Amino acid sequence: MENKKTGSEMIKTYGFTMEQIQELKKRAFEIYGTASVSRYVRDSILEKLDKPQSKPIEINADEINTQQRVVIRLPKIYKLHFDKIASEAGISTNQYMSQILIHHINNKYAPLTKTALNDLHYNTDQLLRIGRNMNQIAKQLNAAGIVSLTTRKLEEIQNVINKNTQIVGEVIKTERKRLESQNTTE
């Protein structure tokens, strides 16, 4: 439903427990001096639009006991933006916005879309290939008796690549599990 006066559109969001709504009211009051959940939620979501999505969100459906409705108003352009992201993630706009808000409360980041997850997987694969090539270069330098700062630097870079790929691998596993569980609940 569009508000003609402000040009914004109302979005209904479901899936909050009473505790989560109380926490939203508390945070809104701390910031604005009024317990306006709608304002707090809107500002939190708009803040998320400006930040890149980089970490996964773990959603445990068992932790959500009862659900409450929250209604917010956003300019239409933002609603369209959320519709697009949710569609790419294979979920509804309400589900996506609920995830953003719940995880904002828990100081986590928004979930990755399927496209972003695939891109992350591809880039990690490429990084692994670079790391293997560097490892082969370092082995050849060591075999030739050339132990230098360059060899040590290559090994340091290899260690950073290995650590990064382990972290990214965990992100990918977590996100794939989350996406699979969403597909089975729909």
Side-chain angles (χ1 to χ4, degrees), residues 4 11 28 35 41 57 61 106 115 123 137 146 150 159-160 178 186:
K4 302 285 185 197
I11 300 173
V41 167
I57 292 179
N106 296 327
T115 304
N123 289 333
I137 293 168
I146 306 171
T150 305
N159 290 336
V160 170
R178 181 187 64 77
E186 291 177 352

Side-chain angles (χ1 to χ4, degrees), residues 13-139:
T13 306
Y14 305 91
F16 293 100
T17 64
M18 286 303 292
E19 289 176 348
Q20 291 168 333
I21 290 175
Q22 290 304 317
E23 181 65 22
L24 287 168
K25 286 180 180 180
K26 177 183 162 196
R27 291 183 185 202
F29 187 78
E30 290 171 359
I31 294 171
Y32 306 114
T34 180
S36 173
V37 173
S38 178
R39 183 176 177 189
Y40 179 75
V41 167
R42 182 192 64 224
D43 290 351
S44 297
I45 290 172
L46 293 175
E47 181 182 321
K48 286 286 185 195
L49 285 175
D50 295 334
K51 291 184 180 179
Q53 298 178 13
S54 59
K55 293 188 179 178
I57 292 179
E58 297 172 20
I59 296 177
N60 185 348
D62 297 334
E63 295 176 1
I64 301 173
N65 298 329
T66 59
Q67 298 182 357
Q68 301 292 316
R69 181 182 303 202
V70 175
V71 178
I72 61 170
R73 292 187 183 275
L74 292 173
K76 192 171 190 172
I77 186 101
Y78 295 119
K79 167 99 171 45
L80 295 172
H81 178 77
F82 284 119
D83 289 344
K84 180 181 178 201
I85 292 173
S87 175
E88 288 174 1
I91 58 176
S92 72
T93 303
N94 284 344
Q95 288 173 314
Y96 183 73
M97 293 181 68
S98 291
Q99 289 175 9
I100 289 174
L101 296 170
I102 289 167
H103 296 288
H104 180 74
I105 291 170
N106 296 327
N107 297 317
K108 294 184 181 178
Y109 296 87
L112 296 174
T113 64
K114 288 178 184 176
T115 304
L117 188 59
N118 290 337
D119 290 346
L120 181 63
H121 186 269
Y122 174 79
N123 289 333
T124 302
D125 186 53
Q126 294 301 313
L127 192 57
L128 277 171
R129 290 172 192 234
I130 292 168
R132 286 186 201 113
N133 289 341
M134 289 177 59
N135 195 34
Q136 290 173 0
I137 293 168
K139 282 181 182 178

